[in-house]
Amino acid sequence: MSITPELTAQILRYHHAEHWPVGTISSQLGVHRETIMRVLTQAGVAPNVPAQRASGVTPYMPFIEQTLKQFPSLTASRLHAMVVERGYGGRPDHFRHIIARHRPRPPAEAYLRLRTLPGEQCQCDWGHFGHIQIGQAKRPLMAFVMVLSWSRRIFLRFFLGAHMENFLRGHVQAFESWGSLPRVVLYDNLKSAVLERKGQAIRFNPALLTLAGHYHFEPRPVAPARGNEKGRVERSIRYIRDNFFAARAFSSLDDLNAQADAWVAGAASQRRCPEDTKLSVQEAFEQELPQLRELPATPFSCEELKIVSASKTPYIRFDLNDYSIPHTHVQRSLTVHASLNEVRILDGQQVLATHRRCWDKGAQIEIDAHLDELVQHKRAARVHRDTDRLVHAVPQIQTLLNEAAKRGEPLGRTASQLQELLDVHGRTPMTAAVADALDRGVPHPNAVRLALERQRQQQTPPPLGVALPEHVRERDIAVRPHSLDGYDQLIGNQDDAND
């Protein structure tokens, strides 16, 4: 802590003139005791410090220092167990503080400030910026950052994951954004760049070597534990995190990248260039452009390639979602070619389907024609099954269907109606009815139905004669009605006699 000359004079005055002890000066001025003792020591005054009690660990300090000198990384817990076996009775937490003060520390390493020539080098790395929710999918939000080492020109692009294809896309888009590229690209030892490293023996990722061969740059990993060698990109990521992403609102990944492009072209390019503070980053970039190398005539292809297996349903699974395919290609191995916006499904060189890419989870992306063709195929298969049953029961039905087809009759409906007639009347009557319809030259289900009805009428038995007994036959004799006037006269005469 640095103190003002006025405060230094005040501390000395209270000590010499007022004879205040160190504790009193500290409490009254609000200054730490060690600061007051340092001021008095620098003034040639030995402050009165109360004698400290002897610590219980003091007898063991020679053993502790000797052990730490031989094993500098030995843990405090192990040292505590060793001195406890030798009679120490102190607590482990207090012992850890003692070891922290006496543990030998390696001298701090000094780093040279690395300087590069214009157009010579850029540095590249990923930055993790949390997650983004798209429908049911929670995807990592990763920032691909590449910065030119001399001008500090930044390229920033956000991706949904740090996949190798996105790593390659970041390179291509950065080079296209600058319209050129440097001679060397510097990497940390991330798996997208370095698969394995043993000292100076480095096994690069083959996809990165293919990209480097296309653009003719040198991929160069930094030495292990040498953060200063790629400090420009690390500081750029921290700058992006603090000055661009903090409290940033965006509606989609495309919106976020559009805002990033505007920020890179604006605020990030107007800041002072560390290599030459008289220049802005934009001005330094314009001076560096002539030293950068030209791009090749054709860009590098960064499509994702994946072998997938189609199951019994007309879909393939790719990146958490299902994409439809023609039903004729189920239960096969197919190839997916995917960009950030499009998914193409191929069988060899034949393109089966092209879909928009979906970043959701568990979605079904369909082409209506694929499902319509499957429905028609199922219906045709059902018609074929019905026809096979009919022909097996009544072989002449095949001739009737052929004739019906020549007349343009719908075969599905014809087969369905014939099947209904066969189920009701049976095989033998149906055979005769079909033959009758063919003889009449009318290959239609209605002709077969009429023939079946005529068969039923012809098979109705004639009325039977019944012999009736005599008394029953007499009941059917006609009876001549008689006049009832005589009965009226008899009734009238009887009434007169009573009078």
Side-chain angles (χ1 to χ4, degrees):
M1 175 182 177
S2 60
I3 59 177
T4 63
E6 291 81 2
L7 185 57
T8 301
Q10 196 173 11
I11 291 172
L12 294 174
R13 180 169 63 83
Y14 286 144
H15 177 75
H16 290 286
E18 305 297 340
H19 304 289
W20 284 6
V22 173
T24 303
I25 299 174
S26 173
S27 62
Q28 296 302 318
L29 298 182
V31 181
H32 199 275
R33 293 173 58 92
E34 293 183 358
T35 303
I36 296 173
M37 293 175 63
R38 186 179 73 246
V39 171
L40 296 177
T41 302
Q42 291 174 352
V45 179
N48 295 325
V49 180
Q52 297 182 352
R53 293 183 302 170
S55 174
V57 78
T58 302
Y60 305 95
M61 285 309 301
F63 168 76
I64 294 173
E65 292 174 353
Q66 181 181 1
T67 305
L68 287 175
K69 184 177 181 181
Q70 185 177 2
F71 305 101
S73 61
L74 194 65
T75 62
S77 60
R78 183 60 197 143
L79 271 172
H80 181 262
M82 294 171 70
V83 295
V84 166
E85 292 177 356
R86 289 163 173 79
Y88 177 66
R91 298 195 310 270
D93 53 351
H94 177 65
F95 185 81
R96 275 194 292 270
H97 292 295
I98 297 173
I99 297 303
R101 293 199 304 267
H102 291 83
R103 186 185 296 278
R105 300 183 184 277
E109 182 178 0
Y111 295 96
L112 292 174
R113 183 174 183 180
L114 302 179
R115 296 184 179 274
T116 59
L117 297 174
E120 181 68 20
Q121 181 196 100
C122 72
Q123 299 181 8
C124 170
D125 204 355
W126 283 110
H128 182 60
F129 285 76
H131 291 80
I132 182 172
Q133 191 76 29
I134 301 178
Q136 301 297 320
K138 184 178 181 182
R139 296 183 179 268
L141 183 62
M142 304 298 296
F144 176 88
V145 181
M146 184 175 280
V147 56
L148 289 170
S149 298
W150 188 80
S151 66
R152 302 302 203 278
R153 176 75 175 196
I154 293 176
F155 173 79
L156 171 62
R157 180 69 74 245
F158 289 92
F159 292 99
L160 300 177
H163 311 302
M164 188 65 201
E165 292 78 13
N166 289 340
F167 193 61
L168 301 178
R169 291 182 183 116
H171 284 75
V172 174
Q173 294 179 19
F175 298 157
E176 291 178 350
S177 173
W178 297 336
S180 52
L181 73 150
R183 291 170 173 79
V184 177
V185 180
L186 202 64
Y187 303 97
D188 198 352
N189 291 279
L190 67 166
K191 291 297 182 181
S192 298
V194 178
L195 294 180
E196 189 176 8
R197 182 168 187 163
K198 299 293 183 182
Q200 297 301 318
I202 300 171
R203 184 163 68 94
F204 285 97
N205 192 306
L208 179 63
L209 293 179
T210 304
L211 177 75
H214 183 86
Y215 286 100
H216 311 299
F217 67 84
E218 176 192 352
R220 184 184 299 173
V222 300
R226 288 294 183 269
N228 66 309
E229 295 185 11
K230 67 177 190 67
R232 290 171 173 84
V233 68
E234 291 183 349
R235 286 192 294 272
S236 296
I237 293 176
R238 185 166 61 248
Y239 175 59
I240 291 167
R241 201 179 298 277
D242 296 339
N243 291 269
F244 170 74
F245 193 77
R248 175 74 54 174
F250 55 93
S251 59
S252 64
L253 184 67
D254 291 337
D255 179 35
L256 179 61
N257 281 324
Q259 295 185 45
D261 291 341
W263 177 80
V264 167
S269 295
Q270 299 305 317
R271 73 188 194 280
R272 294 291 94 187
C273 176
E275 293 292 336
D276 187 350
T277 56
K278 297 178 182 178
L279 302 174
S280 66
V281 169
Q282 179 63 32
E283 294 169 342
F285 175 65
E286 293 172 356
Q287 292 186 15
E288 189 176 18
L289 271 177
Q291 307 301 323
L292 296 171
R293 299 179 58 254
E294 294 183 358
L295 296 177
T298 57
F300 185 79
S301 176
C302 301
E303 284 194 340
E304 300 173 52
L305 301 179
K306 185 178 181 181
I307 304 298
V308 296
S309 296
S311 62
K312 296 180 180 180
T313 59
Y315 296 93
I316 59 98
R317 171 63 61 89
F318 172 71
D319 192 21
L320 307 179
N321 297 293
D322 294 330
Y323 295 85
S324 68
I325 59 172
H327 70 276
T328 54
H329 289 74
V330 297
Q331 294 185 321
R332 295 188 186 180
S333 292
L334 306 175
T335 306
V336 172
H337 292 235
S339 66
L340 292 176
N341 301 312
E342 186 179 77
V343 174
R344 293 186 302 140
I345 306 169
L346 287 79
D347 184 6
Q349 299 297 322
Q350 179 187 4
V351 178
L352 302 179
T354 301
H355 299 272
R356 62 170 180 82
R357 184 158 187 176
C358 178
W359 297 100
D360 202 342
K361 178 181 179 181
Q364 286 187 340
I365 299 88
E366 302 170 342
I367 295 177
D368 293 339
H370 292 163
L371 302 183
D372 293 341
E373 291 172 1
L374 178 59
V375 171
Q376 295 298 327
H377 174 74
K378 291 293 185 181
R379 288 177 178 172
R382 186 167 57 251
V383 170
H384 290 313
R385 287 195 298 270
D386 293 343
T387 303
D388 292 342
R389 286 183 58 198
L390 287 169
V391 173
H392 180 73
V394 183
Q396 287 182 311
I397 285 182
Q398 184 64 62
T399 305
L400 187 145
L401 291 174
N402 292 339
E403 295 297 326
K406 292 178 182 179
R407 297 191 176 195
E409 297 292 341
L411 296 182
R413 187 173 63 187
T414 299
S416 177
Q417 292 175 353
L418 291 174
Q419 183 63 52
E420 292 177 359
L421 294 175
L422 178 63
D423 294 339
V424 172
H425 297 279
R427 179 177 178 179
T428 301
M430 190 71 177
T431 302
V434 171
D436 182 77
L438 291 175
D439 293 340
R440 294 174 180 273
V442 187
H444 194 278
N446 289 339
V448 177
R449 183 179 293 106
L450 291 174
L452 291 170
E453 290 179 358
R454 285 195 298 271
Q455 290 181 27
R456 188 177 58 184
Q457 293 174 359
Q458 292 174 0
Q459 294 172 358
T460 302
L464 298 176
V466 180
L468 298 177
E470 185 65 26
H471 68 280
V472 174
R473 289 200 303 270
E474 291 177 353
R475 293 178 183 175
D476 294 331
I477 298 175
V479 177
R480 182 171 60 85
H482 297 276
S483 176
L484 301 178
D485 294 339
Y487 294 99
D488 293 337
Q489 293 177 1
L490 291 173
I491 295 173
N493 295 330
Q494 186 178 0
D495 291 339
D496 293 340
N498 294 331
D499 292 339

